[in-house]
Amino acid sequence: MATKSISDVMTTQVRTVSPDTSLQEVARIMRDADLGDVLVTENDHLVGIVTDRDMVVRCVAENGNPADHTAGEICSSDVATVPPQSDIRDAVNTMREGAVRRLPVVDGDRVVGVVSMGDLAQAADEKSALADVSSADPNR
C-alpha cells in the first residue's frame, strides 16, 4: 500500500475563531462540534490554536473566567503546520519535534484542515489502541 498523504487523513471540517472570541464561546464551539481545538485566524490567516487543555491550564487553573478572556490571550501562536501533500511521516516528525497532538494543515496561507495524532494512528495502524480510542464515540 502506498504511503498516505496528509490530505488523505486530515479533518477538513475546521472551526476557526477570531482572536477576540471569548473562551466561553470557544468552549461552546468545542462542545457543540465535539472538538478539542479551534484555530485562531485573523483576516483568513492562521495566528494560533486553542486546545481544551490550553483553556484549562492558561485560564481556568489560574482562576480566570472564560467569559472574561479571549482566544487571542491564551492561544499558542507559534503553530507548527503541515501542507496537505506531506507524507504522514512528516506530520509525525513535526508533532514529535513540537510536542503537539494536532497540526493545522495549510495550503500556502489558507487553512484547509487539521490532522491529529489520532488521525495518524488510524492511518498507520487501524487496529492500534490509539486508533480504537480515536474512532470511538465521544463521551457525553
Side-chain angles (χ1 to χ4, degrees):
M1 180 173 90
T3 303
K4 293 181 179 179
S5 70
I6 293 305
S7 62
D8 295 327
V9 298
M10 71 183 187
T11 300
T12 57
Q13 294 181 325
V14 178
R15 297 293 194 276
T16 63
V17 297
S18 65
D20 62 347
T21 303
S22 76
L23 293 180
Q24 185 172 33
E25 179 60 22
V26 171
R28 286 183 183 132
I29 291 168
M30 287 180 180
R31 177 198 63 202
D32 294 348
D34 189 34
L35 297 171
D37 64 275
V38 297
L39 301 181
V40 182
T41 59
E42 195 165 38
N43 299 322
D44 293 325
H45 289 93
L46 180 66
V47 296
I49 186 170
V50 173
T51 67
D52 44 8
R53 185 177 190 284
D54 293 334
M55 290 194 301
V56 170
V57 171
R58 297 178 185 165
C59 179
V60 177
E62 298 296 326
N63 294 321
N65 180 346
D68 297 334
H69 294 278
T70 66
E73 290 177 279
I74 70 148
C75 72
S76 298
S77 57
D78 186 18
V79 182
T81 64
V82 64
Q85 67 274 14
S86 290
D87 183 282
I88 61 171
R89 289 177 298 217
D90 295 330
V92 169
N93 289 334
T94 300
M95 286 180 174
R96 183 178 290 130
E97 290 168 9
V100 296
R101 295 178 178 100
R102 301 168 181 98
L103 290 174
V105 181
V106 295
D107 190 2
D109 284 354
R110 194 170 59 93
V111 175
V112 296
V114 172
V115 65
S116 71
M117 188 180 297
D119 297 330
L120 298 176
Q122 288 177 314
D125 181 0
E126 293 176 358
K127 295 182 187 333
S128 72
L130 182 55
D132 285 345
V133 169
S134 298
S135 65
D137 290 333
N139 294 329
R140 294 269 176 192

